[in-house]
Amino acid sequence: MADWQEITGGITAPRGYQAAGITAGLKPSGLPDLALIFSEVEAIAAGVFTTSQVKAACVEYCRQRLQAKQSARAILCNAGQANAATGTQGYLDTLESALAIAQALNISSESVLLASTGVIGQRIKMDALRSGIPKVVAALSQTGSDAAAGAIITTDLVTKSIALETTISDRPVRIGGIAKGSGMIHPNMATMLAFVTCDAVVSPHLWQQMLARAADRSFNSITVDGDTSTNDSLIALANGQSRTPAIIEWGAEAEKLEAMLTAVCQHLAKAIARDGEGATCLIEVEVTGAHDELSARQIAKTIAGSSLVKSAIFGRDPNWGRIAAAAGRAGVPFEQENLQIKLGNFLMLENGQPLQFDRGAASAYLKKAATGAYLQQDTVLISVNVGNGHGVGKAWGCDLSYDYVKINAEYTT
């Protein structure tokens, strides 16, 4: 069993954090579009960002900030405009945004991190942002996580939030998180944003390492459509307000903290994959028997990202041949006579040989997932074994429906 429990509160569950989300007029829809996360004290900060060569101004800004100073107190996120591919003026807008929120909070602009989401090629509506900053600061609350989660979404159908609590040195330690993402989701920072708060005391070096590994096992292991965004950002703060002893080296406490951090990130990542544009179910792929974890994850991600596999799941067609083909092209060597494939509890291929199975029942299994409870009974499990190695890896995706094309064909019109 996990050495933690789920609690309420999202990103404001850990001690010493406030959050807010307001409507500033950035989105044409008039929905909430400006979020703020604030630590009452300086917090250790870590980040993982898109690997795209075309990066939003906020990504470049955050990378420079974290290289110069591995701490922060505030994260400001606007929705509506991505501020990516907006040239020099887009970066100047970012600098102005950081300075404006810093002045409103009476902190240094070096303690501000930024994120943006929306349409690529559009600058932030600075007049709306300027007028919204005093409002979002005034709205800060220790119960503001839900409002912040609602203000960062774009095409998402649901908000995404989680908080967990464990015990370290006989004191409670909490990690909370919110995320957004629905389309343009693919490994290499799966458009997605995720913000994590923690009240443990941890060294900057360890916190960054923990976050990078957690990202690989969560956000870098999901796919919706094969497209990596310009704005993908995962930012995590640890402010030490749990008053636990500092974690400065690897050991049992560091392992427990990283495991809980990974669990938070995996929950948010699965929520993003399940909310894939037009999706009707979540797909979870587990690969065993590979040489190492990296190889297993590579096969799993290839299967989860296969358009043919995703289409078959949407059509409720238990076509295991598409799974086998995707595994074979993942770029990971294995002997095909060792290949085993299961869909739920249906064993379809064993030792590289096809088996008889109840196709009607297997199709019914897929149909049932499409009507199951959110992130509970709505998951299609694909299990693949490729040999006798110790490598185990997971990836998550969603089915590919007609609505995905409709949503993205009309995105800016």
Side-chain angles (χ1 to χ4, degrees), residues 22-27 33-34 78 81 124-135:
I22 67 161
T23 299
L26 296 163
K27 287 181 182 176
D33 49 23
L34 188 63
N78 75 278
Q81 301 85 44
I124 300 171
K125 295 179 180 179
M126 292 304 294
D127 287 343
L129 185 77
R130 293 185 194 102
S131 62
I133 281 178
K135 300 174 185 176

Side-chain angles (χ1 to χ4, degrees), residues 203-362:
S203 74
H205 180 67
L206 284 183
W207 191 232
Q208 180 64 50
Q209 286 186 334
M210 290 178 182
L211 189 67
R213 281 192 291 267
D216 280 342
R217 292 167 178 161
S218 58
F219 300 111
N220 283 341
S221 293
I222 59 174
T223 183
V224 168
D225 47 24
D227 279 296
T228 298
S229 171
T230 56
N231 290 57
D232 301 329
S233 301
L234 165 62
I235 300 173
L237 304 180
N239 68 5
Q241 292 302 287
S242 64
R243 306 300 182 186
T244 50
I247 300 174
I248 58 175
E249 60 184 16
W250 290 111
E253 292 181 346
E255 291 176 2
K256 179 186 286 190
L257 187 65
E258 181 175 332
M260 190 164 71
L261 174 63
T262 301
V264 166
C265 291
Q266 285 184 342
H267 175 91
L268 296 173
K270 287 191 284 186
I272 289 173
R274 174 60 185 91
D275 198 25
E277 290 165 341
T280 68
C281 63
L282 179 70
I283 300 173
E284 179 174 299
V285 183
E286 181 177 54
V287 174
T288 58
H291 175 69
D292 52 28
E293 180 185 350
L294 185 63
S295 299
R297 282 210 313 269
Q298 179 61 33
I299 297 172
K301 287 189 288 186
T302 304
I303 295 169
S306 165
S307 293
L308 290 177
V309 172
K310 291 155 66 70
S311 298
I313 299 299
F314 175 67
R316 320 310 172 201
D317 179 11
N319 188 346
W320 61 262
R322 293 180 173 180
I323 299 171
R329 68 173 173 82
V332 177
F334 63 86
E335 299 297 331
Q336 65 176 350
E337 57 265 27
N338 293 329
L339 186 61
Q340 178 194 82
I341 296 175
K342 290 177 65 178
L343 180 65
N345 292 323
F346 298 93
L347 183 61
M348 300 173 165
L349 188 76
E350 180 75 34
N351 297 322
Q353 299 294 316
L355 302 176
Q356 295 293 323
F357 65 94
D358 188 336
R359 298 187 65 86

Side-chain angles (χ1 to χ4, degrees), residues 7-255:
I7 58 174
T8 60
I11 52 169
T12 53
R15 292 167 181 80
Y17 292 97
Q18 300 177 50
I22 67 161
T23 299
L26 296 163
K27 287 181 182 176
S29 64
L31 294 172
D33 49 23
L34 188 63
L36 177 62
I37 302 166
F38 180 62
S39 175
E40 296 168 1
V41 298
E42 196 76 9
I44 298 302
V48 180
F49 302 95
T50 181
T51 58
S52 174
Q53 294 302 302
V54 181
K55 301 177 181 66
C58 56
V59 170
E60 296 285 9
Y61 169 86
C62 285
R63 281 180 162 170
Q64 292 178 20
R65 276 282 175 262
L66 291 175
Q67 285 175 358
K69 178 185 177 184
Q70 293 176 298
S71 66
R73 289 191 64 183
I75 303 170
L76 180 71
C77 178
N78 75 278
Q81 301 85 44
N83 199 25
T86 50
T88 301
Q89 188 57 53
Y91 193 76
L92 292 176
D93 290 343
T94 294
L95 295 178
E96 182 184 344
S97 301
L99 182 59
I101 193 66
Q103 291 175 340
L105 291 169
N106 195 28
I107 62 175
S108 167
S109 62
E110 294 180 352
S111 294
V112 174
L113 297 173
L114 300 170
S116 299
T117 184
V119 180
I120 295 170
Q122 292 189 3
R123 288 175 50 200
I124 300 171
K125 295 179 180 179
M126 292 304 294
D127 287 343
L129 185 77
R130 293 185 194 102
S131 62
I133 281 178
K135 300 174 185 176
V136 77
V137 170
L140 281 172
S141 165
Q142 293 180 350
T143 58
S145 180
D146 288 346
I152 66 174
I153 61 175
T154 50
T155 59
D156 306 53
L157 296 178
V158 297
T159 57
K160 300 157 183 73
S161 176
I162 184 70
L164 302 177
E165 180 181 274
T166 191
T167 301
I168 294 178
S169 297
D170 297 323
R171 293 185 63 86
V173 170
R174 298 171 179 174
I175 299 180
I178 61 172
K180 66 85 54 181
S182 184
M184 198 179 280
I185 304 295
H186 191 62
N188 296 325
M189 280 304 295
T191 299
M192 64 145 278
L193 301 175
F195 308 118
V196 174
T197 57
C198 176
D199 54 17
V201 185
V202 58
S203 74
H205 180 67
L206 284 183
W207 191 232
Q208 180 64 50
Q209 286 186 334
M210 290 178 182
L211 189 67
R213 281 192 291 267
D216 280 342
R217 292 167 178 161
S218 58
F219 300 111
N220 283 341
S221 293
I222 59 174
T223 183
V224 168
D225 47 24
D227 279 296
T228 298
S229 171
T230 56
N231 290 57
D232 301 329
S233 301
L234 165 62
I235 300 173
L237 304 180
N239 68 5
Q241 292 302 287
S242 64
R243 306 300 182 186
T244 50
I247 300 174
I248 58 175
E249 60 184 16
W250 290 111
E253 292 181 346
E255 291 176 2

